[in-house]
Amino acid sequence: MTEPLHITDLRIFTEPQQGASYDDLLAVAQRAEKLGYGAFFRSDHYLVMGDGDGLPGPTDAWITLAGLARDTSTIRLGTLVSSATFRQPGPLAISVAQVDQMSGGRVDLGLGAGWFAAEHEAYGIPFPELGERFDRLEEQLELITGMWATPIGGTYSKPGGQYPIIDSPALPKPAQSAPPIVIGGGGPKRTPALAAKYAAEFNTPFVSREFFVEQTGRVRAACEAIDRNPDELVYSAALIVCVGADEAEVERRAAALGREPSELRENGLCGTPAEVAERMRSWRAAGAERLYLQVMDLADLDHLDLIANDVVAELS
């Protein structure tokens, strides 16, 4: 029998580029912590998507998480996902290790190749072709994990490549021996191979259950190809969430997102608590061990309460 999902298996996922201050994010993170959610995650983007104004403007993911590391005490914190195009691997390894220290070992690093060309153009960030972006991602994963694994007092070198490193002291060290790395996406070859080699968790964002099963199957096969036990990874999905105590509240929350309930029901976790719990059970039966709940209306903290209380009660 499949183990049911619990509140600790549900992670709140925010999209601050759509418009959020640090205080907005802090309020969500602290409410999520109080309610017992497993983690607070945020995207790592610098430009609003769609028609909104994005005010007050973008916030940096790792600066945000550094603040939350001190303003929360128990909830895990992470990115879904940081872009390898945004930062050099050495400084990123330092930032993540420092935030992990500041949080007492509560950080997950989600890292991807990057995809949103417009934000790179808007802030002067080079945006190479897809193949090179994956090359950079693979090299960054190797370097970051290599630096974290280097014993204190030793040095780390990796000459050549896009980011040659010579005699790095590989400091600081994270509080965890190795912060969990989350890799996700729908690529059929390189993504599963990178997840098999480096990830503690594999995530599929905003896809169907059928594709989730296909893609996690590719990751499992990639693990077996390198003699890694595929059950060492956690398999997760990210889905937009819109729950109401009744249909009128579902419609109100959907309208606040500028979406139709019927479309949200088809593509996300939408409906009454009983409906959403049933949908979550179907994802768990498909192999999802965690669900990232994309919360778009950050002012609606009662939404988090409803999910934690009424939906979770339906899951048990």
Side-chain angles (χ1 to χ4, degrees):
M1 182 176 177
T2 302
E3 177 72 17
L5 292 166
H6 302 284
I7 185 69
T8 52
D9 302 314
L10 305 180
R11 296 183 156 193
I12 299 303
F13 172 46
T14 61
E15 302 270 12
Q17 77 279 354
Q18 299 304 105
S21 67
Y22 176 76
D23 287 340
D24 295 329
L25 297 170
L26 174 61
V28 174
Q30 289 182 331
R31 181 68 67 90
E33 179 173 77
K34 180 179 178 181
L35 292 167
Y37 286 95
F40 172 91
F41 270 59
R42 58 155 293 164
S43 61
D44 194 355
H45 285 295
Y46 292 139
L47 196 67
V48 64
M49 299 172 190
D51 297 330
D53 56 26
L55 293 174
T59 50
D60 182 89
W62 287 100
I63 292 176
T64 296
L65 295 179
L68 295 178
R70 308 306 288 179
D71 287 339
T72 61
S73 58
T74 59
I75 196 166
R76 292 198 68 82
L77 305 167
T79 52
L80 199 70
V81 293
S82 290
S83 173
T85 57
F86 287 178
R87 300 168 181 87
Q88 301 278 42
L92 181 58
I94 292 170
S95 295
V96 177
Q98 184 178 9
V99 176
D100 196 54
Q101 289 178 358
M102 293 167 69
S103 70
R106 293 185 284 125
V107 162
D108 294 13
L109 169 61
L111 192 60
W115 63 270
F116 189 25
E119 69 186 334
H120 293 75
E121 295 168 357
Y123 288 94
I125 305 167
F127 188 68
E129 294 299 316
L130 181 61
E132 183 179 336
R133 297 202 307 275
F134 265 93
D135 291 343
R136 288 173 180 248
L137 171 61
E138 183 169 10
E139 189 174 348
Q140 289 204 13
L141 288 165
E142 179 183 4
L143 298 178
I144 290 168
T145 56
M147 285 188 281
W148 286 344
T150 299
I152 292 176
T155 60
Y156 179 81
S157 295
K158 188 68 171 61
Q162 295 278 355
Y163 311 101
I165 292 179
I166 306 297
D167 293 335
S168 171
L171 297 172
K173 301 301 182 194
Q176 302 171 91
S177 58
I181 289 177
V182 183
I183 293 175
K189 294 181 180 180
R190 296 192 71 175
T191 297
L194 291 176
K197 188 171 182 180
Y198 294 106
E201 178 178 344
F202 180 75
N203 178 268
T204 56
F206 314 114
V207 301
S208 67
R209 285 193 306 279
E210 293 74 17
F211 185 81
F212 169 83
V213 171
E214 290 176 14
Q215 188 68 342
T216 55
R218 294 186 185 105
V219 173
R220 287 181 172 276
C223 287
E224 291 167 354
I226 61 171
D227 295 323
R228 182 182 182 187
N229 181 355
D231 291 333
E232 290 178 3
L233 276 75
V234 173
Y235 299 91
S236 64
L239 297 155
I240 192 168
V241 66
C242 178
V243 187
D246 52 32
E247 190 59 30
E249 192 168 75
V250 172
E251 292 177 0
R252 176 178 66 78
R253 287 200 162 106
L257 303 179
R259 310 262 298 259
E260 292 294 329
S262 58
E263 180 266 322
L264 290 170
R265 280 185 163 97
E266 181 178 353
N267 296 306
L269 300 169
C270 178
T272 62
E275 283 183 88
V276 171
E278 180 58 33
R279 185 84 166 178
M280 287 181 175
R281 280 193 290 270
S282 71
W283 276 93
R284 182 67 189 96
E289 300 165 274
R290 273 181 199 144
L291 294 177
Y292 288 77
L293 311 182
Q294 186 195 43
V295 175
M296 298 302 292
D297 186 353
L298 301 185
D300 186 3
L301 298 180
D302 290 344
H303 196 196
L304 303 186
D305 294 0
L306 181 66
I307 298 166
N309 296 322
D310 293 33
V311 174
V312 170
E314 295 279 352
L315 287 172
S316 59

